[in-house]
Amino acid sequence: MMWLRGLRRPAAMALAAAALVGPAAAQEPDRIFDKSTVWRPLTPNDKLVVYGIDDPAVEGVACWYTQPEKGGIKGTLGLAEDVSDISLACRQVGPVKFKDKFKQGEVVFSERRSLIFKSMQIVRGCDVKRNTLIYMVYSDKVIQGSPKNSTSAVPLMPWGTEAPGKCAEALKG
């Protein structure tokens, strides 16, 4: 379960039995690479980690996000709350085919960022006028929201001899 990655091993295992994962969380992100940002002598370092995901409803579009992961004792035990600084880049990586219709702001991917209160969401929308998919990543808290976010746009372009898809045709309602 991909949201367990943010919780670390012991705490993640304890919560796995009780976890309910929504449909947008069905995809496990691909860990591309990481870079240490804070060296810790006896425990894991703090890192920036790059992950990749494919849009589950739009074939031919992929997103990559970078997020910090805490090391140290708290990070190892799953007690550290990961910060909300997450960057996002999405691109067309093949011919675009819409698998399902979607609503503006529909969740593409989500994961927990702390034991209880914080989560990260990647949502998708369609700029009909410009035939462009818009992706936004943000972090939220149950009690207090977070204004930190990042946006990426994917203009739908021809791929080889295939004409670009129309995101307006994939919108619900």
Side-chain angles (χ1 to χ4, degrees):
M1 297 178 156
M2 109 303 301
W3 63 269
L4 294 176
R5 181 186 69 259
L7 296 178
R8 308 298 187 271
R9 293 150 204 86
M13 293 304 173
L15 291 173
L20 295 175
V21 179
Q27 182 180 179
E28 181 75 24
D30 299 317
R31 186 179 182 117
I32 309 300
F33 72 95
D34 63 68
K35 187 69 178 166
S36 292
T37 57
V38 174
W39 180 77
R40 298 182 184 274
L42 301 175
T43 59
N45 295 343
D46 291 1
K47 299 174 184 166
L48 288 173
V49 185
V50 177
Y51 293 95
I53 62 164
D54 297 310
D55 187 323
V58 184
E59 186 178 316
V61 175
C63 294
W64 296 266
Y65 62 95
T66 301
Q67 65 184 12
E69 290 185 0
K70 288 284 191 182
I73 294 171
K74 283 186 177 182
T76 301
L77 296 176
L79 302 174
E81 181 176 326
D82 288 320
V83 297
S84 299
D85 299 323
I86 304 165
S87 65
L88 177 71
C90 299
R91 300 292 183 267
Q92 182 175 343
V93 295
V96 171
K97 293 187 175 113
F98 294 96
K99 299 176 188 174
D100 298 310
K101 293 206 175 255
F102 62 88
K103 294 180 182 177
Q104 295 282 29
E106 187 171 278
V107 175
V108 174
F109 176 80
S110 67
E111 73 176 9
R112 295 206 182 279
R113 300 289 292 150
S114 71
L115 285 174
I116 300 172
F117 298 112
K118 195 181 218 180
S119 67
M120 182 267 293
Q121 315 271 334
I122 297 175
V123 296
R124 170 198 337 100
C126 169
D127 178 344
V128 173
K129 180 179 176 182
R130 295 166 187 85
N131 195 32
T132 299
L133 291 169
I134 308 296
Y135 293 84
M136 178 178 61
V137 63
Y138 67 96
S139 180
D140 61 0
K141 283 185 174 182
V142 173
I143 297 171
Q144 177 185 0
S146 171
K148 295 186 180 185
N149 61 77
S150 181
T151 302
S152 185
V154 180
L156 302 181
M157 307 297 282
W159 196 270
T161 59
E162 293 192 39
K166 301 281 184 199
C167 65
E169 295 171 4
L171 286 176
K172 285 184 183 175

